[in-house]
Amino acid sequence: MTTAPDDRARLQTALDDLTDALENHLEACVARSGEGDMAVQAAYTALRHAAERYDDLLFELREEVTPWEFPEGPHVDIEYEDPDAEPASVGVFVRRDYDIVDGDELLRAGREAYGELYPAHPRQAADADVNHAGRALYQLLHAFGVDGLDQRAEPSGLLPRGGTVWVQELTDGDGDTLVDEPFAVVDDEMLIYRLDEVIGPDEDDAQG
């Protein structure tokens, strides 16, 4: 079965869009400024969409498939309905989920993080402080932050399961809840930006 010139042109355009999206995603990742970088999130979304379009078109025209998996479920990129409005203040709400797949590795990583924070303390102090998973996670976050934990997840006995980032406008008084009720002000009607990603079993198999 030959491919008609018009179909070949459509496939080539989809491939070019995918290549551009890959390059843009790499550039955004290299230039990433920190947690919740909007450029990285936008580039990720564009890459996912370009990959899905190419995958769908390849199957439609040639009944061939790519090795990529696009899991069902939420992967949401929501833009604020009124881009001309400039909020006076915003809140960034971040959640990341992990399975603890190796408790011993998590304790080891937590004790290493303790050593980074307190290099003058003896090893026994790290062993005494980091004696359960919660304390290990505390020291990892204390030493490396949320981004650092994500980067060190798998070597630390954690399996990423996904996450969500919400950016929303804050109203008067919302800032006062930061310590006592940090997530009580979450309101999807005030949402400026949202990005969800769920890592499913198929993706775990592909990574392995």
Side-chain angles (χ1 to χ4, degrees):
M1 182 175 67
T2 59
T3 303
D6 288 348
D7 290 344
R8 174 59 189 265
R10 292 173 63 194
L11 283 167
Q12 186 62 53
T13 297
L15 178 60
D16 291 343
D17 289 344
L18 176 56
T19 302
D20 290 344
L22 283 164
E23 292 178 348
N24 291 338
H25 183 256
L26 175 59
E27 290 301 320
C29 290
V30 170
R32 172 178 162 170
S33 60
E35 174 64 28
D37 188 300
M38 295 298 185
V40 174
Q41 294 174 7
Y44 176 94
T45 301
L47 174 57
R48 181 186 176 92
H49 292 169
E52 287 180 318
R53 285 194 298 270
Y54 178 76
D55 186 81
D56 290 344
L57 189 60
L58 188 64
F59 186 79
E60 174 189 337
L61 298 179
R62 301 300 303 172
E63 296 186 351
E64 295 289 347
V65 296
T66 67
W68 308 316
E69 294 285 344
F70 303 101
E72 297 295 331
H75 177 87
V76 184
D77 184 357
I78 301 174
E79 296 290 352
Y80 196 38
E81 292 183 358
D82 186 1
D84 295 326
E86 295 186 2
S89 60
V90 298
V92 179
F93 304 93
V94 180
R95 168 176 164 176
R96 288 179 175 166
D97 290 359
Y98 304 91
D99 287 344
I100 299 177
V101 294
D102 192 328
D104 291 339
E105 280 299 305
L106 182 57
L107 291 176
R108 178 200 56 75
R111 288 164 183 163
E112 287 187 358
Y114 181 98
E116 291 283 337
L117 291 165
Y118 310 105
H121 289 195
R123 175 58 188 267
Q124 292 86 343
D127 293 344
D129 182 271
V130 182
N131 55 15
H132 59 82
R135 194 64 187 173
L137 288 163
Y138 169 82
Q139 294 296 1
L140 283 162
L141 287 165
H142 191 193
F144 307 116
V146 176
D147 283 346
L149 175 64
D150 200 48
Q151 294 165 2
R152 295 168 175 79
E154 293 188 20
S156 301
L158 301 173
L159 180 64
R161 281 303 182 191
T164 184
V165 178
W166 290 38
V167 181
Q168 76 169 49
E169 182 178 358
L170 297 180
T171 60
D172 292 342
D174 284 349
D176 298 337
T177 68
L178 180 60
V179 175
D180 297 331
E181 296 180 296
F183 297 103
V185 299
V186 173
D187 182 355
D188 57 7
E189 293 186 0
M190 305 292 287
L191 197 62
I192 296 174
Y193 185 91
R194 174 176 173 177
L195 178 67
D196 294 346
E197 181 181 8
V198 175
I199 301 173
D202 290 341
E203 290 177 88
D204 294 341
D205 294 341
Q207 291 173 359

